[in-house]
Amino acid sequence: IVAVALVGLWLFKSVYTVQPDQRGVELLFGKPKTEVSMPGLHFHWWPVETVEIATIAERQMTIGSATRTSAQAGLMLTGNQNIVDVTFAVLYAVVDPADYLFNVANPDEVLRQLAESAMREVVGRRPAQAVFRDDRQGIAQDVKTIIQQTLDDYGAGIQINAVSIEDAAPPRPVADAFDEVQRAEQ
C-alpha cells in the first residue's frame, strides 16, 4: 500500500497541465531547459525536474493617481515647470517565458517602475500644453520606445504592445486656477 501511495504521489507530481494562455518552462536541477511547454498535458521527472508556468496573454497595467492610494503618484513636472497629473496604461505580453521567469526578479514591478520613469522623462521634456492636448500620441510612442528598449536590455522577455495616456490634467488643488488661466487666454 505504501509503495502504491508513493507511485501515485510521484505520478501526481510528475504530470502537469499548461493552459492555452500559458507556457511552461521545465527546470532540470534548477536550470531552465531550452524548450518551452505548449498548452496541454505534460510529463516531467519529478523531483529531478520541476516546471514554472508563465501567463503569456496580453495584460494591461494602469499607472497614475487613479491606481494608488497616494495622491501624488501621477504628478509629474513638465518641461515648462508646470505640474500635471497623468494616468496612463501599458499593454504588454510575455514573448519569452524563460526570460520573463528567470532574468528579472519581479518583472511586473520592474515594468511598473520603468513605465513611471519613462513617462516622467518624456513629460519632463515637453511643455504642459503638449501633455494636456497637443502631442499625447507622440508622448505615448516615445514612452513605449524607452520602455521596450530598456526591457530588451534587461532581457525581460516582455513586449510592449501599446502605451496610452488615459488622463492628463492639472492637479486637483490648482485645477480651478488653471482653468481660469485657460479661459483668460481664450
Side-chain angles (χ1 to χ4, degrees), residues 139-153:
I139 292 170
Q141 186 59 42
D142 288 352
V143 170
K144 177 184 173 189
T145 302
I146 291 170
I147 296 170
Q148 188 64 60
Q149 189 173 37
T150 307
L151 287 173
D152 291 345
D153 290 345

Side-chain angles (χ1 to χ4, degrees), residues 58-113:
E58 184 175 72
R59 293 181 255 178
Q60 178 177 340
M61 179 181 293
T62 304
I63 303 166
S65 294
T67 61
R68 292 214 180 143
T69 56
S70 170
Q72 298 177 356
L75 297 179
M76 299 179 192
L77 188 64
T78 64
N80 59 354
Q81 303 300 311
N82 287 315
I83 296 177
V84 295
D85 190 0
V86 179
T87 301
F88 64 101
V90 178
L91 291 173
Y92 68 100
V94 175
V95 292
D96 189 337
D99 287 350
Y100 177 79
L101 291 169
F102 304 113
N103 283 358
V104 178
N106 198 354
D108 292 332
E109 184 59 28
V110 167
L111 176 59
R112 175 176 297 285
Q113 292 177 2

Side-chain angles (χ1 to χ4, degrees), residues 6-183:
L6 288 175
V7 168
L9 175 67
W10 179 78
L11 280 173
F12 178 74
K13 292 283 195 170
S14 295
V15 176
Y16 66 96
T17 304
V18 178
Q19 300 300 322
D21 64 339
Q22 298 176 334
R23 297 295 181 264
V25 179
E26 290 184 7
L27 293 97
L28 178 63
F29 295 113
K31 183 179 178 189
K33 292 181 172 182
T34 56
E35 63 270 0
V36 174
S37 301
M38 301 306 280
L41 194 61
H42 297 276
F43 177 84
H44 67 287
W45 296 99
W46 181 83
V48 175
E49 294 179 342
T50 56
V51 67
E52 294 287 332
I53 304 290
T55 302
I56 62 164
E58 184 175 72
R59 293 181 255 178
Q60 178 177 340
M61 179 181 293
T62 304
I63 303 166
S65 294
T67 61
R68 292 214 180 143
T69 56
S70 170
Q72 298 177 356
L75 297 179
M76 299 179 192
L77 188 64
T78 64
N80 59 354
Q81 303 300 311
N82 287 315
I83 296 177
V84 295
D85 190 0
V86 179
T87 301
F88 64 101
V90 178
L91 291 173
Y92 68 100
V94 175
V95 292
D96 189 337
D99 287 350
Y100 177 79
L101 291 169
F102 304 113
N103 283 358
V104 178
N106 198 354
D108 292 332
E109 184 59 28
V110 167
L111 176 59
R112 175 176 297 285
Q113 292 177 2
L114 184 58
E116 285 182 23
S117 175
M119 183 60 78
R120 288 179 192 283
E121 176 184 340
V122 173
V123 166
R125 287 190 256 138
R126 307 267 169 91
Q129 190 66 26
V131 178
F132 291 138
R133 292 178 195 90
D134 297 342
D135 195 22
R136 281 184 164 190
Q137 190 62 33
I139 292 170
Q141 186 59 42
D142 288 352
V143 170
K144 177 184 173 189
T145 302
I146 291 170
I147 296 170
Q148 188 64 60
Q149 189 173 37
T150 307
L151 287 173
D152 291 345
D153 290 345
Y154 290 168
I158 297 174
Q159 178 181 344
I160 304 300
N161 296 332
V163 173
S164 64
I165 299 174
E166 294 179 357
D167 187 31
R172 291 182 198 267
V174 297
D176 291 335
F178 183 82
D179 290 341
E180 286 179 27
V181 169
Q182 293 300 319
R183 282 192 296 270

